[in-house]
Amino acid sequence: MTASATQLYLHQARDVKSVEDCMTVYDKWAATYNDEVGDEAQSYVAPVLVAQAAIKYKSNKSPADSIILDAGCGTGLVGQALAIGGVKAIDGIDLSAPMLDVARDTGVYRNLAQADMTRPLNNVDETYDTVVCVGTFTRGHVGPDPALRELIRVTRTNGIVVATILDEIWEPHGFKAEVEKLKAEGLVRVMSEDLIDYVKGHGDKAVLLILEKVNKD
């Protein structure tokens, strides 16, 4: 597929106005997504940076003993980076069934399920040691509420959530305010709000958000 076609999908993804439109774009894009977005020419570094942070800021368990949820897993770029880092138990959720099919072919996921992150998740409370989320908190995709609170809910106490949030929507779309709210409620400790490269060399920046779920008792 040509670079112009790749940019077309990218622009469509960032301009969607509904969950249904988002699903349509990614369903069409799934088969070629990794080649177009994950290659060296695109320098899509966010999946590796998040996987590295998740392993560095892990709970008291080793990567091999941790259970991780890849929320908005797409075709499995983050899952593959986690597996390289020694993680054995990775579950993934995503809106697009064709994306999940590609992720399944990587062989790194324990379980995969279709989920709409603009709604409450079906996952049980306190299930995961770590939750990662890359490429989902961007233009035209998932907003801060209820998604951030849901990711915290399914994380175990003292576990962490590691997510990228596109810098241009961090404050205007209410993500910073939602994090402050979760902090004020005593649900999380903020470990990072650092700015990182999202797509290296293209000027895209993202907030690397790392939250630790705290014990309220």
Side-chain angles (χ1 to χ4, degrees), residues 37-48:
V37 177
D39 64 12
E40 291 182 0
Q42 289 292 322
S43 298
Y44 184 34
V45 294
V48 171

Side-chain angles (χ1 to χ4, degrees), residues 152-196:
I152 292 298
R153 178 182 65 78
V154 303
T155 302
R156 292 171 177 166
T157 300
N158 301 128
I160 60 168
V161 172
V162 185
T164 58
I165 300 165
L166 206 63
D167 183 45
E168 66 186 66
I169 69 170
W170 167 243
E171 290 194 45
H173 288 209
F175 286 93
K176 182 176 177 62
E178 182 67 11
V179 169
E180 290 301 316
K181 185 177 179 181
L182 293 168
K183 182 180 174 182
E185 291 177 23
L187 294 175
V188 300
R189 180 169 70 92
V190 178
M191 301 177 69
S192 167
E193 291 178 353
D194 295 339
L195 205 61
I196 62 168

Side-chain angles (χ1 to χ4, degrees), residues 131-152:
V131 174
V132 296
C133 185
V134 179
T136 299
F137 297 129
T138 184
R139 294 195 303 272
H141 287 55
V142 177
D145 183 26
L148 285 176
R149 189 175 296 269
E150 282 293 284
L151 298 186
I152 292 298

Side-chain angles (χ1 to χ4, degrees), residues 7-204:
Q7 290 301 313
L8 176 61
Y9 276 137
L10 182 60
H11 288 309
Q12 287 178 344
R14 291 186 171 183
D15 291 339
V16 294
K17 298 297 189 288
S18 68
V19 171
E20 291 75 14
D21 289 345
C22 191
M23 185 184 299
T24 297
V25 171
Y26 281 102
D27 285 358
K28 290 187 296 184
W29 199 2
T32 56
Y33 181 89
N34 282 2
D35 291 336
E36 295 161 15
V37 177
D39 64 12
E40 291 182 0
Q42 289 292 322
S43 298
Y44 184 34
V45 294
V48 171
L49 293 178
V50 165
Q52 290 173 342
I55 291 169
K56 178 181 178 181
Y57 294 96
K58 62 184 182 299
S59 63
N60 57 2
K61 294 184 178 180
S62 69
D65 295 326
S66 297
I67 302 175
I68 294 185
L69 175 66
D70 186 359
C73 65
T75 57
L77 294 176
V78 184
Q80 291 177 86
L82 287 168
I84 290 171
V87 180
K88 304 295 185 184
I90 311 169
D91 292 346
I93 57 173
D94 199 86
L95 180 65
S96 168
M99 285 277 187
L100 289 169
D101 288 339
V102 178
R104 188 172 291 109
D105 289 341
T106 67
V108 303
Y109 290 93
R110 183 180 68 168
N111 297 302
L112 289 164
Q114 194 168 13
D116 178 0
M117 288 178 60
T118 67
R119 301 175 180 273
L121 302 176
N122 291 327
N123 305 69
V124 176
D125 294 1
E126 301 261 338
T127 299
Y128 296 99
D129 299 299
T130 301
V131 174
V132 296
C133 185
V134 179
T136 299
F137 297 129
T138 184
R139 294 195 303 272
H141 287 55
V142 177
D145 183 26
L148 285 176
R149 189 175 296 269
E150 282 293 284
L151 298 186
I152 292 298
R153 178 182 65 78
V154 303
T155 302
R156 292 171 177 166
T157 300
N158 301 128
I160 60 168
V161 172
V162 185
T164 58
I165 300 165
L166 206 63
D167 183 45
E168 66 186 66
I169 69 170
W170 167 243
E171 290 194 45
H173 288 209
F175 286 93
K176 182 176 177 62
E178 182 67 11
V179 169
E180 290 301 316
K181 185 177 179 181
L182 293 168
K183 182 180 174 182
E185 291 177 23
L187 294 175
V188 300
R189 180 169 70 92
V190 178
M191 301 177 69
S192 167
E193 291 178 353
D194 295 339
L195 205 61
I196 62 168
D197 285 325
Y198 188 70
V199 181
K200 195 173 184 65
H202 288 247
D204 287 334

